[in-house]
Amino acid sequence: MDLELRHLRCLVAIVDSGGFSDAALELGVSQAAVSRNLAALEGVLGVRLLHRTSRHGTPTTAGVQVLARARHLLAEADNLVSEATSGHTRLRVGHAWSAVGRHTAEFQRRWADRHPGIALHLIRTNTPTGGLAEGLCDLAVVRAAFDGRRFDSAVVGHELRHCAMASDDPWARRRSLRLEELTSRVLLYDRRTGTTTADLWPDNARPEMEPTRDIDDWLAEIATGRAVGITPESTATQYRRDGIVFRPLRDAPLIPVRLVWRRHDPHPATHAAVALLTELYAR
């Protein structure tokens, strides 16, 4: 006999409701069916799960352990059903660091106005595809290189690069900087999702570069004054922190902002999201 969800639901219902008759009412089945399902579960597992009286049942030592796992499995099953049935009434947009920068709030507002039947959720996940490859989102905002064989994408806009530094750094008094000036500094970068690579400089004139793992670590280290960083302008608007200032790099190449989706299973609202973000970046 195979383990079935109805067996687990009966166990949980008996314990939570206080007895077999109340569990039957809660589940909408007969008391005999509740007893059969519990017996079937004990048969599959090979252990006694409840100490029975004429009307009640209390968990045995094994029952306490199985009950905890049963609650977890039932919750996961309910989540699976919810995910499958609500997929087109929700749009999850992943991003590694800074969503769509200064356009983020407007993107959320306009989406809610234009598509009230599709809830928009922004999800930050520090992976190269912003959680898309991991199945955490339906679309992702990506600024770095990604695997173009698995995903389709559209460029929705471009962003300037900024240099992040401590607020008491001598450069903080400047209005802008040039790339070649950074060769004298230690430069922090995110090797997984960052847009900064050594290719921004000639082979013989590159800064010392140190990897970091997350934007909070990146900002905390820069605030000490030991190092600086290069980032899209979206970071400057999304992560304003005490002790950190951002200055534009006037000679650095622009960063393309892409919306990326699974090639063979696009969300029905994909093109609507592309159109709205393209509109916002064009302003």
Side-chain angles (χ1 to χ4, degrees):
M1 183 182 295
D2 295 328
L3 178 65
E4 298 182 21
L5 291 179
R6 60 190 175 93
H7 300 151
L8 301 178
R9 292 193 193 280
C10 276
L11 173 65
V12 172
I14 293 168
V15 174
D16 288 353
S17 66
F20 288 79
S21 58
D22 288 339
L25 289 173
E26 180 180 324
L27 296 172
V29 299
S30 67
Q31 186 171 332
V34 171
S35 297
R36 285 196 302 271
N37 281 322
L38 177 62
L41 179 58
E42 291 178 329
V44 170
L45 300 179
V47 294
R48 175 65 67 89
L49 299 175
L50 295 179
H51 296 297
R52 294 173 178 80
T53 66
S54 59
R55 298 182 59 186
H56 302 288
T58 58
T60 63
T61 300
V64 170
Q65 297 175 339
V66 172
L67 183 65
R69 292 293 299 157
R71 294 188 192 281
H72 176 75
L73 290 171
L74 290 171
E76 286 297 308
D78 289 342
N79 288 339
L80 185 151
V81 172
S82 177
E83 291 279 340
T85 56
S86 66
H88 293 171
T89 61
R90 177 184 60 185
L91 180 65
R92 301 169 300 169
V93 179
H95 60 98
W97 274 32
S98 51
V100 287
R102 64 185 177 89
H103 304 298
T104 301
E106 190 66 15
F107 177 45
Q108 293 170 302
R109 292 192 189 101
R110 293 198 184 191
W111 185 269
D113 290 341
R114 298 182 186 184
H115 308 283
I118 305 175
L120 177 66
H121 298 276
L122 299 181
I123 302 170
R124 186 167 79 88
T125 306
N126 201 39
T127 68
T129 62
L132 188 62
E134 293 76 17
L136 300 176
C137 57
D138 306 298
L139 303 171
V141 179
V142 175
R143 295 174 175 85
F146 64 95
D147 185 357
R149 295 169 299 179
R150 297 178 58 191
F151 307 106
D152 280 336
S153 68
V155 175
V156 296
H158 292 82
E159 293 177 348
L160 295 170
R161 296 177 194 260
H162 282 63
C163 179
M165 67 197 76
S167 57
D168 60 354
D169 192 290
W171 285 353
R173 297 191 293 269
R174 303 264 303 272
R175 295 183 60 184
S176 64
L177 299 166
R178 290 177 289 110
L179 274 174
E180 65 179 30
E181 297 180 85
L182 273 65
T183 58
S184 64
R185 305 293 296 269
V186 176
L187 186 70
L188 297 179
Y189 73 104
D190 186 333
R191 64 175 51 166
R192 292 178 299 170
T193 64
T195 56
T196 303
T197 68
D199 294 335
L200 289 171
W201 295 271
D203 291 343
N204 60 349
R206 291 175 171 173
E208 179 184 351
M209 300 181 69
E210 293 184 6
T212 188
R213 294 183 57 83
D214 184 81
I215 187 166
D216 291 311
D217 297 337
W218 183 80
L219 289 168
E221 189 68 21
I222 289 172
T224 68
R226 188 186 69 83
V228 298
I230 297 178
T231 189
E233 63 181 285
S234 54
T235 305
T237 57
Q238 201 81 344
Y239 290 95
R240 294 173 180 170
R241 300 283 182 93
D242 290 340
I244 300 285
V245 297
F246 297 89
R247 296 293 180 262
L249 291 166
R250 58 179 180 268
D251 61 343
L254 295 176
I255 297 172
V257 182
R258 292 181 172 87
L259 201 60
V260 182
W261 58 91
R262 286 180 286 274
R263 176 167 296 163
H264 301 297
D265 185 28
H267 191 284
T270 294
H271 295 297
V274 170
L276 178 53
L277 285 175
T278 302
E279 175 187 330
L280 292 175
Y281 269 95
R283 294 170 58 191

